[in-house]
């Protein structure tokens, strides 16, 4: 039963953080970000936030630095929107699964000689 609650809370954190980052976080270093997932510990003390960022590696690093700097603001806003007893600590990580999927798709296209069969 606890796993179901952790999953629901994780999805709610993902939704709220996406909205906060897009609408309320005013930092010019932050580019186009998509929150792809949230991994919450069982005691809900830490949340790993997986991000996909459009841009070069330098822009990705700047975005990560800006998010780390705004972590306090993000936690306080998250605490206001979702009524936690203790708001989880946020750890931001890059999600490379989208890039990995694109690479696999291009390799499969090369193997098939440029034609994709379905």
């Amino acid at each position: 039963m606890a796993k179901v609650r952790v999953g629901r809370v994780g999805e709610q954190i993902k939704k709220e953080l996406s909205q906060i980052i897009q609408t309320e976080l005013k930092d010019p270093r932050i580019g186009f970000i998509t929150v792809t997932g949230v991994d919450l510990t069982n005691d809900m003390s830490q949340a790993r936030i997986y991000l996909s960022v459009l841009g070069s590696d330098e822009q990705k690093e700047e975005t990560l630095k800006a998010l780390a700097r705004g972590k306090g603001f993000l936690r306080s806003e998250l605490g206001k929107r979702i009524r936690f007893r203790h708001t989880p600590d946020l750890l931001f990580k890059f999600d490379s699964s989208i890039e990995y999927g694109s690479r696999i798709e291009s390799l499969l296209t090369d193997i098939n000689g440029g034609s994709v069969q379905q």
Side-chain angles (χ1 to χ4, degrees):
M1 192 64 159
K3 288 278 190 188
V4 174
R5 182 169 188 264
V6 169
R8 284 194 322 234
V9 171
E11 285 300 314
Q12 188 65 30
I13 289 173
K14 176 180 162 183
K15 178 181 154 191
E16 294 296 337
L17 269 180
S18 294
Q19 189 175 16
I20 292 169
I21 289 171
Q22 289 177 357
T23 59
E24 297 181 26
L25 200 58
K26 305 285 190 243
D27 194 324
R29 295 178 293 179
I30 294 178
F32 184 73
I33 296 178
T34 303
V35 179
T36 58
V38 174
D39 191 17
L40 199 59
T41 58
N42 286 337
D43 62 352
M44 294 192 218
S45 63
Q46 286 186 339
R48 272 186 234 102
I49 314 299
Y50 293 101
L51 305 166
S52 175
V53 180
L54 228 55
S56 67
D57 288 338
E58 182 180 313
Q59 290 171 328
K60 289 179 182 181
E61 289 302 319
E62 286 297 316
T63 299
L64 195 61
K65 287 178 187 174
L67 286 173
R69 187 166 174 120
K71 183 172 26 174
F73 171 75
L74 292 171
R75 280 188 72 193
S76 67
E77 284 297 312
L78 193 61
K80 291 175 189 175
R81 294 177 182 215
I82 304 174
R83 304 294 289 186
F84 286 118
R85 186 172 293 156
H86 300 286
T87 305
D89 187 32
L90 305 176
L91 304 170
F92 297 102
K93 299 195 178 276
F94 290 120
D95 184 10
S96 60
S97 64
I98 294 173
E99 294 171 5
Y100 181 73
S102 297
R103 171 114 172 93
I104 294 295
E105 186 176 350
S106 68
L107 288 174
L108 288 174
T109 302
D110 291 346
I111 289 171
N112 287 334
S115 64
V116 178
Q117 296 177 345
Q118 291 185 4

